[in-house]
Amino acid sequence: MQSRYRSVFISDVHLGTKACQAKHLLDFLQHIETEHLYLVGDIIDLQAMRNKAYFIDTHHAVVEQVLAMAKSGTEVTYIPGNHDAFFRQFAGQTLSGVKIELHARHQTADGRHFYVSHGDEFDQMVKISPLMLAIGDKAHGLMLSLNQWINGARRFLGLPYWSLAGYVKSHIGKAKDFIARFETAALKSAKSHKLDGYICGHIHFASFQLKEQTLYCNDGDWVEHCTALTESASGELSLLHWSENPKILATEPKPEEWELVPNYSR
């Protein structure tokens, strides 16, 4: 599998929690080379750590690996999300070689321009009642706990990683409707910024959606799916899963023709 990329986007790592798949992420980061690494929010789960921190050696190793990559020449950009919003106060600063920004604009090798943000700014646009949100949070937490037990058993049986929460999201109507509304909000935002697409995380569901030559890219997460968004040297975007059996999940949908522009303003 390819190990050199022009750009890599990861989000929703949730370091500091038991759900974090730090071992898989560390293995991924140690096996790749990239010019640009975007940390697209919820990298360290400061919210969860207020109640109970679970920052084991592999979590420290992930942080050390990112800093080592920054030191060795990778341009690392950290865009805080809602779980690590504390770091937003440092936007515009560079700490240990890592640039902290509220959002970014990324130009691919083939000249397209993408807005990059965590995605929690769409929470108010994607309508969901406080009660359903609370129920969803508890159910999601339960699924993550079950996910650890299930994958512990699968490892014992020699089976590869599998995401329970990912399966549920793909098969329950209300979850699918929520994801669709989120994707629509991101696509509208990209068009309002007059850009070719939007790259985000937040909802823990990696996917591509192409509508009216505007491309939505969600890089997924590292608690359920172990996914990253990658850009090749030619500018092609792909979704990659990395665990015991790394594989390419999808490559970006191909429109008949992209409208390429020389700068961000159109």
Side-chain angles (χ1 to χ4, degrees), residues 8-190:
V8 171
F9 303 79
I10 63 174
S11 74
D12 299 274
V13 177
H14 294 275
L15 291 168
T17 70
K18 288 185 177 182
C20 173
Q21 300 293 325
K23 181 179 178 181
H24 293 317
L25 176 56
L26 179 62
D27 188 55
F28 171 66
L29 294 175
Q30 290 176 336
H31 279 85
I32 65 168
E33 294 180 34
T34 182
E35 297 175 31
H36 310 277
L37 174 63
Y38 288 90
L39 308 174
V40 194
D42 288 1
I43 304 302
I44 301 175
D45 197 330
L46 298 177
Q47 282 190 2
M49 289 175 66
R50 290 173 185 167
N51 298 321
K52 185 177 181 180
Y54 183 80
F55 219 93
I56 58 177
D57 288 346
T58 50
H59 293 211
H60 286 283
V62 168
V63 175
E64 291 170 357
Q65 177 64 24
V66 169
L67 295 179
M69 293 172 72
K71 187 175 181 180
S72 65
T74 297
E75 184 179 286
V76 181
T77 303
Y78 187 178
I79 300 170
N82 52 307
H83 283 256
D84 49 11
F86 171 81
F87 295 119
R88 286 173 173 166
Q89 64 185 303
F90 302 109
Q93 301 184 40
T94 299
L95 304 176
S96 299
V98 176
K99 296 190 299 182
I100 302 177
E101 302 289 351
L102 296 179
H103 51 76
R105 294 191 179 189
H106 176 74
Q107 180 174 352
T108 56
D110 54 9
R112 292 174 292 162
H113 302 110
F114 287 80
Y115 196 89
V116 187
S117 75
H118 180 61
D120 59 302
E121 62 268 37
F122 302 127
D123 285 351
Q124 298 301 317
M125 300 171 62
V126 181
K127 303 293 185 181
I128 184 168
S129 72
L131 176 60
M132 288 302 297
L133 183 62
I135 293 172
D137 283 345
K138 289 185 180 296
H140 188 249
L142 176 60
M143 282 191 293
L144 291 179
S145 296
L146 290 172
N147 200 53
Q148 294 178 58
W149 285 97
I150 290 171
N151 279 288
R154 289 176 66 85
R155 283 194 299 272
F156 180 77
L157 296 172
L159 297 173
Y161 180 85
W162 177 78
S163 172
L164 170 64
Y167 176 85
V168 170
K169 286 181 183 179
S170 299
H171 290 80
I172 291 183
K174 284 189 178 295
K176 292 168 68 175
D177 289 344
F178 172 81
I179 291 169
R181 293 198 302 273
F182 183 90
E183 292 170 346
T184 298
L187 285 165
K188 286 182 178 178
S189 181

